[in-house]
Amino acid sequence: MSFPQHRPRRLRTTPAMRRLTAETRLAPAELILPAFIREGLSEPNPIASMPGVVQHTTETLKRAAAEAVELGVGGIMLFGIPAVRDATGTASLDPDGVLNKAIRDVRAEVGDDLVVMSDVCLDEFTDHGHCGVLDADGYVDNDATLDIYARMAVAQADAGAHALGPSGMMDGQIGAIRDALEDAGHVNTAVIAYAAKYASAFYGPFREAVDSQLKGDRRTYQMDAANRREAIQEVELDLAEGADMVMVKPAMSYLDILADVADMSPVPVAAYQISGEYAMIEAAAANGWIDRRAAITESVLGIRRAGANMVLTYWASELAGWLKES
């Protein structure tokens, strides 16, 4: 049958009708707030390229976590910026280091009311800015890095992280971390694998957020933007090694990858709306070129529609507030 029997516009006539027939919905519990804490700060430090986002102090991080709980946000992902860096990221293993202390502080503040996640990667902790240790030729040594990741994971689990996010794209990282957690008795600590993480031009503001020391790029270990099938291989490997959740990063330019992963994954799928995506919308809105609230909501809805069960977004708390209002 055709027009006039079929009039799809009948289901768009009113806001109530559109709500009733919506295929995809947003809820605060599906959102994860990435948050940065920098050692030695007495006041939160604004990140110029990410308006509204700061490097936190201990107190402001605790307040942000408590606010997330009040708003019904599902989780918080913590990134630490140490005062001192070295070639092997030693500060990442210090039980009293900035990230491990932040995990303890946030857990003490929110308990089990918020899923406390932490970044298992060396890029914030190394003086060269790479996600792993370097060999004599300056190439990231995959297997030497796995040993440090395993120790980092146990330190973060000891500090109280509910879930760990290995983001370095080292081969075998999920298996190494899972084995270390089991051996240390952390059988209930979840691993959210950055399974398909691409070398992207949209990470720029994040480099400012973590005061990255990186020279060059990470193309020898993060995925090539041209590749689609390879993402499924990466996800399958991480699942075989014990990943409890998998992630696609970035989200915006990789919605096809996200849809592919969502179609095949037997575990929950996350997507990370990264710093460059945030910065572009904020910049366009600041210039009056787009409606900020509408663009933020639509961008996250699009990620959910593509198949993400959960979305890491710097707007998590603000968006959750809007959703509660409506």
Side-chain angles (χ1 to χ4, degrees):
M1 298 174 70
S2 59
F3 180 85
Q5 287 80 10
H6 285 177
R7 291 181 182 266
R9 286 182 58 189
R10 293 183 188 118
L11 302 186
R12 305 171 196 153
T13 52
T14 66
M17 181 66 78
R18 293 191 293 273
R19 286 195 302 271
L20 178 68
T21 59
E23 297 176 31
T24 307
R25 304 179 192 277
L26 293 177
E30 301 160 348
L31 306 176
I32 299 167
L33 176 67
F36 307 100
I37 181 167
R38 182 164 191 163
E39 189 172 15
L41 291 183
S42 58
E43 297 290 338
N45 182 42
I47 299 166
S49 56
M50 300 175 69
V53 180
V54 302
Q55 296 171 335
H56 283 287
T57 67
T58 296
E59 291 307 313
T60 62
L61 178 62
K62 288 162 61 177
R63 287 201 295 270
E67 179 189 39
V69 171
E70 289 293 320
L71 293 167
V73 170
I76 188 168
M77 177 69 79
L78 302 178
F79 298 87
I81 305 149
V84 178
R85 297 176 164 102
D86 60 25
T88 59
T90 304
S92 67
L93 302 176
D94 182 353
D96 296 317
V98 61
L99 181 53
N100 295 324
K101 180 180 181 298
I103 296 167
R104 288 197 307 274
D105 290 337
V106 171
R107 274 301 304 274
E109 184 72 21
V110 302
D112 293 331
D113 292 337
L114 186 69
V115 179
V116 178
M117 306 175 173
S118 53
D119 182 53
V120 183
C121 194
L122 288 177
D123 58 327
E124 297 102 88
F125 295 94
T126 55
D127 56 12
H128 47 72
H130 277 288
C131 297
V133 295
L134 305 182
D135 65 16
D137 298 319
Y139 188 82
V140 174
D141 187 326
N142 190 96
D143 296 4
T145 300
L146 294 184
D147 176 65
I148 300 176
Y149 281 4
R151 293 158 61 199
M152 283 182 71
V154 171
Q156 292 179 15
D158 286 345
H162 293 107
L164 307 179
S167 61
M169 288 300 287
M170 297 297 117
D171 295 336
Q173 64 183 15
I174 303 304
I177 288 170
R178 186 75 267 165
D179 287 347
L181 291 173
E182 295 291 320
D183 289 346
H186 292 296
V187 298
N188 292 322
T189 304
V191 177
I192 177 168
Y194 286 61
K197 180 179 179 181
Y198 285 80
S200 172
F202 294 99
Y203 293 136
F206 183 90
R207 306 275 166 83
E208 179 192 353
V210 298
D211 188 27
S212 175
Q213 305 301 298
L214 181 68
K215 304 295 188 293
D217 57 49
R218 299 186 174 119
R219 296 184 183 278
T220 64
Y221 45 102
Q222 293 179 353
M223 290 181 60
D224 191 320
N227 293 355
R228 183 173 183 173
R229 290 191 302 269
E230 184 184 14
I232 299 302
Q233 179 190 32
E234 289 279 10
V235 171
E236 288 175 338
L237 289 169
D238 284 355
L239 290 171
E241 292 175 20
D244 300 289
M245 296 172 273
V246 294
M247 187 192 299
V248 175
K249 182 181 181 182
M252 179 187 69
S253 297
Y254 299 87
L255 293 178
D256 58 330
I257 309 301
L258 175 57
D260 290 347
V261 172
D263 281 345
M264 58 76 68
S265 176
V267 303
V269 177
Y272 199 144
Q273 186 178 45
I274 65 169
S275 59
E277 300 169 57
Y278 177 95
M280 287 191 298
I281 290 176
E282 288 289 352
N287 279 282
W289 298 333
I290 58 174
D291 181 311
R292 180 177 179 273
R293 178 167 173 168
I296 291 168
T297 304
E298 182 179 337
S299 68
V300 178
L301 184 66
I303 297 167
R304 283 277 293 115
R305 189 184 63 243
N309 302 106
M310 61 200 84
V311 181
L312 288 86
T313 175
Y314 299 98
W315 289 300
S317 292
E318 186 174 15
L319 179 54
W322 297 340
L323 294 171
K324 291 191 75 170
E325 288 173 7
S326 61

